[in-house]
Every structure is written in C-alpha cells, then in structure tokens.
Amino acid sequence: MTIRVVIIDDEPLARLAVKTRLAQRGGFTLVGEFGDGDSAFDGIAALRPELVFVDVEMPGRTGLEVLAALPAAQRPMAILLTAYDGFALQAFDLAAIDYLLKPVDDERMDEALDRAQQAFPYRGQGRTTAPAVPAVQTFSVRVGARTVLVPVAEVERIEADGDYATLHANGKTWLVRERLHTLALQLDPRQFHRVHRSSIVRLDMIAELRALTNRDALLRLRDGSVLRASRTYMPALAEALQQFNKKSA
Amino acid sequence: MKVETPLLVPVLAALPVCACMAILGLPAFTHQHGAAFRSLYFLACLAWLMPLALLQRAMWRREWPWLRMALVLLSATYAMSLLNAVLGQRLAISLGLETDYRWAELVEGLDGCWLALIAFCAVHAVAGYYLSLQRMRLHLAQAQAAARDAELRALRLQVNPHFLFNSLNAISALVAAQSNREANRMLACVSDFLRATLAHDGRHEHALAEELALLDAYLEIEKARLGERLRLTMKAGPDVLDAVVPYLMLQPLVENAIRHGIAPLAAPGRLDIRVERQDARLLVEVHNDGLQPAHVGSGIGLANVRERLRHLYGDDQQVEAGWGEDGRFGVRIAMPLRAVEAAA
C-alpha cells in the first residue's frame, strides 16, 4: 500500500527536487502539486492525501496557515520545507512529522520519508510513536577479513561517512557499511538519538548542551568531543533527554 | 590648543575668583567708605573678566606660545588694574575725601585687583587646557576604535568568499562527475555553513560554542570532500563553551591545516582540535599531519588570525605556530578567558 503525497511549494524547481526523490523510492504516489497556499488548501480537501510536503514561505497563505486551517482529523502527515527560518516549534505543535531545511540532501530526505512510513500505520493516533522494530544488540563490522562484533551498549556515537557510518566505541572507531539512517532504525530510540544529518549520539554521553543563537545547539560529550545538534532535531532531542532523565532519576 | 572650549568655562573660572574677592572684602564693610571702594573694585574687576576671557581665547585659537600669552596677559591685567585705581581715585574725589588725582600714588595698592585678574587667567587656562585635553583624548580613542573596527571587518571578510568559491568549485566537480548524492550532500553542508554565518550579527567576538558549531559546519564540507583521508577529533574541556573568542578564528587555521597539511598527503591525515582552560587563560590548539615544506611560510590564514587577536587583546594573547618534534604542524593560541554575558 502506497502513501498518497501532495507537494506544495511556490517554486517549480523545489517541487521537482521532492518529486525526483519520491520517484527514486517505492511506497509513495504523487497525487497533486500546488504553487500557493489557497489552492493547496482546496486541493488537500479534495484529494485527501496522507502526506504533504509543505513550503513554509509562500504567497497568500503560508504552509503553516494551510495546515492550521485544516480540521485536525483531516490534517495529513506533514513534512515542512523551509529555506531560512525558525519554525521548528510551531511545526511540531502542528504535529508535523519532520521539518527540512533547503537544500535537502538525500540522507535527510530519506530519513523524513522513513518517518512518514513508520508513522503511517499509526496515523490518527496523535503523535508518531516509536515503531515496533526490535533494537539490535550488536553491530557486526568487517575489518579486512575479520568480522568484529561491537555491542550496541558500547557505542557512544555514530557518524555518517559518505554512504557508510563510523561507530565510536571505547575510544576506537569502526567503519560500518551501512548508511546512518538505516542504522538509526535499528537503535533503541530511548537510548540513542539522531542530533544531526550526520550524527547519532547515545543520550547518556551528553555532558553539556549549549543552545546557539541560530537555534541549533552544541553538544559536548563526556569524552570531550563536540558536535552540533541541528534545530530540526532539537524539540525531539529535548523530549528524549527529559524521558531519559526521568528514567535514570 | 586647537579644540574650542565652551563659553561656560570662563564663567566657571570666574566663580572662585569672585568668591575670594567677596570674602576678602567682607571686613571692609565695617569701615565708613570701605564698602563703596570694595564694591567699585569688585564690579570693575568683574567687568574686565569678559574682555580678558575673550583675549585669552583669541590667543588660544591663534596657538600663541605660552610665554608670549603670559606676557600679554600680565601687561593687560596690569593696565586693567591701573584703570581700576584711577576709578578708585575718582570715587574718592566725588566722596570729598580727596581734592584731586594723585598720579604718583596710582601704582600703590594695585595688588588686590591685579592678583585677582591673574588668578582668573590661571584658572581659566587650566580649565580650558584640561577640557580640550579630555576632548582630544576622546576623539583619538574614537578614531582608533573606528580604524580597528574597519580593519577587523576587512580581515574577517578575507575568510569567507575564499572558502565559498572553493566549495562551489568542488560541487561543480561532483556535478560534472555525475556524483549526484555527493553533490547534494555538499550543497546541504554549504547551506548549513552559510546559514550559520548569516545568523551572525556582526560582532567581532562570540561564544566558543558558536565558533565550534561554525567550525563543525565547515568541517562537514571538508569531510565530504576528503572522505576517509581526513581523520578528525574536535574536543573541548569542561566549562569553556561560554568563553568569548574572535568570530571565525578557528576556521582559517583549520582550512590551512587541511589545504596545506592533509590534502597533499597520499595517506589519511589526522587533524586534532582541542580547546581547554588553564587558570584564567583559554588554550586553543590545532595539530595536523603534513609534509614539512622546504620553504617556511605560515600563510594568509595564520597572519590574519594573528592580526585579529592582536587587535582585540593587545599583548594579552600568544600565537605559536610551527612544526613539532613529532613531525606534525601545530598552532597554539593562548588568550584571556572571559565568559559571554548571560543576556546574549
């Protein structure tokens, strides 16, 4: 069963970018495209798509206004697109499942589409809940002719490295031949969290979190490493940290 | 004294002199005609103050030497005192105390008036000199600040475009090679970096956390470019993320390390960035692998950083750069540790 998608953006090339990515993945059917807020509102009401990609800044009604104007029951899953701004909090209030900064790279787009597919069966039950994919206990890493098993519990963070990923565990690094977003799906979301396009951290490794003026944040881990947390992940990260602290308190 | 002092200065300078004359004159009021004479001298002196002040200011404007000014003022005040004495004799005649002017006694008892006028000139000169000195200092400080600001701005601008065009060139190469995914990833990274620099409000300094985030955004581009060949660690000690550092201080150093150190290497190279506190100092270290060049040169990036640190912190900072015994290039910066204001 495919997810029916509508794309709303006033720039044709921006719509093309989303369309091309959708076409490369199975499971999604494009049912409509709109170039402004007003026609998008009518279009969503008529087509009843399950997922919309919405540009935030548009002539007429903004993307957020379009979503807010729809009755909650009719509101499709939304992935917001924006070039330069700070709408994350409002976006999460409208239960948008993701929020992307343009230009969007493939990694980030794939993750957004993963989220949509995970959330799809649970639609209408409020916020997206974690899918029941069993979390893995070890990663097997090939080093030359050997295969090394790295226990997930020892992994401190994972970094994207092109189409591969680097595991950081006990001061050592291991190259895994998998992309970051596929690894993310195999991890327990209560312990690990995506903080950036290119990194996942274990929550108990975070020693300092400092908010930045552009709404991103800088994390300092217990081993002194510093890395950025993107604003598009901040609300979810804050929630996860809260849950984590409750659990460990 | 080129700077004009306001007209309020002679008025203020006259106040203490007038007050002294009034107090010294008080005992004379018990004598029969004392009050009349004292009042006359007082008013006469007061009347002289205005032309005297104007004369003094005119000489300042022409920038006469001090000695000449002193001589002119001494003779002018002496002449004024003589005229006061003539007025005194005139009063005596009209009161019937004297019958005629006694020119021989004219130069006696001039001291009261003359000293008062000299005192006024002295107070006026000191006040005027002090004020103009203050103003000159202020102007000088303002001019220096403006020059420093302009220079810092120029130094900062050297950083950005250079890097931007290099990245665009790399993306262009990826597109030409039809590496679409990589080209897209690079574009997203460059956008991240631009977003971060655009969020900057033009201050010359910001928090270390902001600087490291900016550096991380930059490094992501270099990681995309170099892939496996760049082995990176970026570490910070506790309680330094709020420390104030110059805007874009690390990026040119790291760009140097990669461009001149790691990029020319055939094997993967390590780049280690470390920031920590040492008492009241902030230590920033960048070490990288590289091939020691035949000629010694530290590049524009390092010179730029040195200049900006010198501008911002004067002698309270040290930059050391060079090849270590381990065969790696290192830059070590020590600067004052200061936290950003909580309101920021």
Side-chain angles (χ1 to χ4, degrees), chain A residues 31-49:
Chain A
V31 295
E33 287 180 52
F34 302 96
D36 66 275
D38 294 321
S39 64
F41 180 78
D42 300 336
I44 291 172
L47 295 168
R48 295 297 197 95

PDB file of all heavy atoms in Angstrom, chain A residues 31-49:
ATOM      1  N   VAL A  31       0.021  12.598  -5.869  1.00  0.00           N
ATOM      2  CA  VAL A  31      -1.330  12.804  -6.385  1.00  0.00           C
ATOM      3  C   VAL A  31      -1.621  14.256  -6.743  1.00  0.00           C
ATOM      4  O   VAL A  31      -2.619  14.553  -7.383  1.00  0.00           O
ATOM      5  CB  VAL A  31      -2.415  12.289  -5.400  1.00  0.00           C
ATOM      6  CG1 VAL A  31      -2.318  10.781  -5.241  1.00  0.00           C
ATOM      7  CG2 VAL A  31      -2.297  12.997  -4.053  1.00  0.00           C
ATOM      8  N   GLY A  32      -0.776  15.174  -6.327  1.00  0.00           N
ATOM      9  CA  GLY A  32      -1.041  16.563  -6.685  1.00  0.00           C
ATOM     10  C   GLY A  32       0.102  17.487  -6.311  1.00  0.00           C
ATOM     11  O   GLY A  32       0.913  17.177  -5.452  1.00  0.00           O
ATOM     12  N   GLU A  33       0.188  18.644  -7.049  1.00  0.00           N
ATOM     13  CA  GLU A  33       1.194  19.667  -6.759  1.00  0.00           C
ATOM     14  C   GLU A  33       0.494  21.007  -6.737  1.00  0.00           C
ATOM     15  O   GLU A  33      -0.347  21.269  -7.591  1.00  0.00           O
ATOM     16  CB  GLU A  33       2.229  19.741  -7.884  1.00  0.00           C
ATOM     17  CG  GLU A  33       3.198  18.601  -7.962  1.00  0.00           C
ATOM     18  CD  GLU A  33       4.164  18.827  -9.125  1.00  0.00           C
ATOM     19  OE1 GLU A  33       4.766  19.917  -9.201  1.00  0.00           O
ATOM     20  OE2 GLU A  33       4.272  17.925  -9.966  1.00  0.00           O
ATOM     21  N   PHE A  34       0.850  21.861  -5.788  1.00  0.00           N
ATOM     22  CA  PHE A  34       0.240  23.184  -5.741  1.00  0.00           C
ATOM     23  C   PHE A  34       1.298  24.245  -5.522  1.00  0.00           C
ATOM     24  O   PHE A  34       2.302  23.991  -4.870  1.00  0.00           O
ATOM     25  CB  PHE A  34      -0.821  23.250  -4.637  1.00  0.00           C
ATOM     26  CG  PHE A  34      -1.895  22.220  -4.824  1.00  0.00           C
ATOM     27  CD1 PHE A  34      -1.831  21.007  -4.151  1.00  0.00           C
ATOM     28  CD2 PHE A  34      -2.938  22.451  -5.718  1.00  0.00           C
ATOM     29  CE1 PHE A  34      -2.797  20.038  -4.348  1.00  0.00           C
ATOM     30  CE2 PHE A  34      -3.906  21.483  -5.916  1.00  0.00           C
ATOM     31  CZ  PHE A  34      -3.836  20.268  -5.227  1.00  0.00           C
ATOM     32  N   GLY A  35       1.032  25.436  -6.108  1.00  0.00           N
ATOM     33  CA  GLY A  35       2.035  26.503  -6.082  1.00  0.00           C
ATOM     34  C   GLY A  35       1.724  27.621  -5.108  1.00  0.00           C
ATOM     35  O   GLY A  35       2.498  28.560  -4.985  1.00  0.00           O
ATOM     36  N   ASP A  36       0.565  27.559  -4.428  1.00  0.00           N
ATOM     37  CA  ASP A  36       0.274  28.598  -3.436  1.00  0.00           C
ATOM     38  C   ASP A  36      -0.645  28.045  -2.360  1.00  0.00           C
ATOM     39  O   ASP A  36      -1.267  26.984  -2.519  1.00  0.00           O
ATOM     40  CB  ASP A  36      -0.359  29.821  -4.101  1.00  0.00           C
ATOM     41  CG  ASP A  36      -1.718  29.503  -4.667  1.00  0.00           C
ATOM     42  OD1 ASP A  36      -1.776  29.005  -5.821  1.00  0.00           O
ATOM     43  OD2 ASP A  36      -2.717  29.714  -3.959  1.00  0.00           O
ATOM     44  N   GLY A  37      -0.721  28.753  -1.259  1.00  0.00           N
ATOM     45  CA  GLY A  37      -1.433  28.271  -0.079  1.00  0.00           C
ATOM     46  C   GLY A  37      -2.918  28.048  -0.305  1.00  0.00           C
ATOM     47  O   GLY A  37      -3.475  27.051   0.164  1.00  0.00           O
ATOM     48  N   ASP A  38      -3.572  28.976  -1.026  1.00  0.00           N
ATOM     49  CA  ASP A  38      -5.022  28.880  -1.175  1.00  0.00           C
ATOM     50  C   ASP A  38      -5.450  27.671  -2.001  1.00  0.00           C
ATOM     51  O   ASP A  38      -6.332  26.911  -1.607  1.00  0.00           O
ATOM     52  CB  ASP A  38      -5.571  30.166  -1.791  1.00  0.00           C
ATOM     53  CG  ASP A  38      -5.380  31.340  -0.840  1.00  0.00           C
ATOM     54  OD1 ASP A  38      -5.557  31.126   0.385  1.00  0.00           O
ATOM     55  OD2 ASP A  38      -5.029  32.439  -1.304  1.00  0.00           O
ATOM     56  N   SER A  39      -4.779  27.490  -3.166  1.00  0.00           N
ATOM     57  CA  SER A  39      -5.162  26.336  -3.987  1.00  0.00           C
ATOM     58  C   SER A  39      -4.768  25.039  -3.280  1.00  0.00           C
ATOM     59  O   SER A  39      -5.437  24.008  -3.433  1.00  0.00           O
ATOM     60  CB  SER A  39      -4.533  26.423  -5.379  1.00  0.00           C
ATOM     61  OG  SER A  39      -3.139  26.368  -5.282  1.00  0.00           O
ATOM     62  N   ALA A  40      -3.692  25.093  -2.462  1.00  0.00           N
ATOM     63  CA  ALA A  40      -3.278  23.905  -1.719  1.00  0.00           C
ATOM     64  C   ALA A  40      -4.352  23.495  -0.716  1.00  0.00           C
ATOM     65  O   ALA A  40      -4.674  22.312  -0.574  1.00  0.00           O
ATOM     66  CB  ALA A  40      -1.959  24.169  -0.996  1.00  0.00           C
ATOM     67  N   PHE A  41      -4.936  24.501  -0.057  1.00  0.00           N
ATOM     68  CA  PHE A  41      -5.973  24.219   0.938  1.00  0.00           C
ATOM     69  C   PHE A  41      -7.146  23.486   0.288  1.00  0.00           C
ATOM     70  O   PHE A  41      -7.602  22.448   0.773  1.00  0.00           O
ATOM     71  CB  PHE A  41      -6.437  25.534   1.571  1.00  0.00           C
ATOM     72  CG  PHE A  41      -7.500  25.336   2.609  1.00  0.00           C
ATOM     73  CD1 PHE A  41      -7.171  24.900   3.885  1.00  0.00           C
ATOM     74  CD2 PHE A  41      -8.831  25.570   2.302  1.00  0.00           C
ATOM     75  CE1 PHE A  41      -8.144  24.712   4.846  1.00  0.00           C
ATOM     76  CE2 PHE A  41      -9.815  25.376   3.259  1.00  0.00           C
ATOM     77  CZ  PHE A  41      -9.475  24.944   4.534  1.00  0.00           C
ATOM     78  N   ASP A  42      -7.612  24.027  -0.869  1.00  0.00           N
ATOM     79  CA  ASP A  42      -8.709  23.381  -1.594  1.00  0.00           C
ATOM     80  C   ASP A  42      -8.314  21.997  -2.084  1.00  0.00           C
ATOM     81  O   ASP A  42      -9.091  21.049  -2.009  1.00  0.00           O
ATOM     82  CB  ASP A  42      -9.134  24.240  -2.796  1.00  0.00           C
ATOM     83  CG  ASP A  42      -9.607  25.621  -2.344  1.00  0.00           C
ATOM     84  OD1 ASP A  42     -10.032  25.731  -1.168  1.00  0.00           O
ATOM     85  OD2 ASP A  42      -9.529  26.579  -3.148  1.00  0.00           O
ATOM     86  N   GLY A  43      -7.063  21.919  -2.596  1.00  0.00           N
ATOM     87  CA  GLY A  43      -6.573  20.651  -3.144  1.00  0.00           C
ATOM     88  C   GLY A  43      -6.510  19.554  -2.098  1.00  0.00           C
ATOM     89  O   GLY A  43      -6.897  18.411  -2.355  1.00  0.00           O
ATOM     90  N   ILE A  44      -6.026  19.890  -0.889  1.00  0.00           N
ATOM     91  CA  ILE A  44      -5.924  18.890   0.171  1.00  0.00           C
ATOM     92  C   ILE A  44      -7.319  18.399   0.553  1.00  0.00           C
ATOM     93  O   ILE A  44      -7.560  17.202   0.730  1.00  0.00           O
ATOM     94  CB  ILE A  44      -5.184  19.459   1.398  1.00  0.00           C
ATOM     95  CG1 ILE A  44      -3.710  19.685   1.061  1.00  0.00           C
ATOM     96  CG2 ILE A  44      -5.294  18.505   2.590  1.00  0.00           C
ATOM     97  CD1 ILE A  44      -2.934  20.407   2.125  1.00  0.00           C
ATOM     98  N   ALA A  45      -8.260  19.369   0.631  1.00  0.00           N
ATOM     99  CA  ALA A  45      -9.636  18.999   0.983  1.00  0.00           C
ATOM    100  C   ALA A  45     -10.228  18.045  -0.046  1.00  0.00           C
ATOM    101  O   ALA A  45     -10.942  17.106   0.299  1.00  0.00           O
ATOM    102  CB  ALA A  45     -10.497  20.254   1.115  1.00  0.00           C
ATOM    103  N   ALA A  46      -9.897  18.265  -1.339  1.00  0.00           N
ATOM    104  CA  ALA A  46     -10.474  17.440  -2.404  1.00  0.00           C
ATOM    105  C   ALA A  46      -9.753  16.096  -2.551  1.00  0.00           C
ATOM    106  O   ALA A  46     -10.388  15.056  -2.709  1.00  0.00           O
ATOM    107  CB  ALA A  46     -10.429  18.211  -3.723  1.00  0.00           C
ATOM    108  N   LEU A  47      -8.408  16.121  -2.493  1.00  0.00           N
ATOM    109  CA  LEU A  47      -7.627  14.913  -2.793  1.00  0.00           C
ATOM    110  C   LEU A  47      -7.434  14.004  -1.579  1.00  0.00           C
ATOM    111  O   LEU A  47      -7.148  12.820  -1.735  1.00  0.00           O
ATOM    112  CB  LEU A  47      -6.248  15.299  -3.357  1.00  0.00           C
ATOM    113  CG  LEU A  47      -6.242  16.007  -4.718  1.00  0.00           C
ATOM    114  CD1 LEU A  47      -4.863  16.594  -5.012  1.00  0.00           C
ATOM    115  CD2 LEU A  47      -6.621  15.018  -5.823  1.00  0.00           C
ATOM    116  N   ARG A  48      -7.537  14.562  -0.379  1.00  0.00           N
ATOM    117  CA  ARG A  48      -7.307  13.807   0.863  1.00  0.00           C
ATOM    118  C   ARG A  48      -6.003  13.004   0.822  1.00  0.00           C
ATOM    119  O   ARG A  48      -6.016  11.769   0.970  1.00  0.00           O
ATOM    120  CB  ARG A  48      -8.475  12.853   1.128  1.00  0.00           C
ATOM    121  CG  ARG A  48      -9.807  13.530   1.394  1.00  0.00           C
ATOM    122  CD  ARG A  48      -9.702  14.380   2.669  1.00  0.00           C
ATOM    123  NE  ARG A  48     -10.999  14.717   3.185  1.00  0.00           N
ATOM    124  CZ  ARG A  48     -11.620  14.001   4.148  1.00  0.00           C
ATOM    125  NH1 ARG A  48     -11.060  12.946   4.651  1.00  0.00           N
ATOM    126  NH2 ARG A  48     -12.796  14.374   4.558  1.00  0.00           N
ATOM    127  N   PRO A  49      -4.859  13.663   0.621  1.00  0.00           N
ATOM    128  CA  PRO A  49      -3.590  12.922   0.626  1.00  0.00           C
ATOM    129  C   PRO A  49      -3.248  12.493   2.048  1.00  0.00           C
ATOM    130  O   PRO A  49      -3.828  13.012   3.014  1.00  0.00           O
ATOM    131  CB  PRO A  49      -2.574  13.960   0.136  1.00  0.00           C
ATOM    132  CG  PRO A  49      -3.148  15.261   0.598  1.00  0.00           C
ATOM    133  CD  PRO A  49      -4.643  15.122   0.530  1.00  0.00           C
TER     134      PRO A  49
END
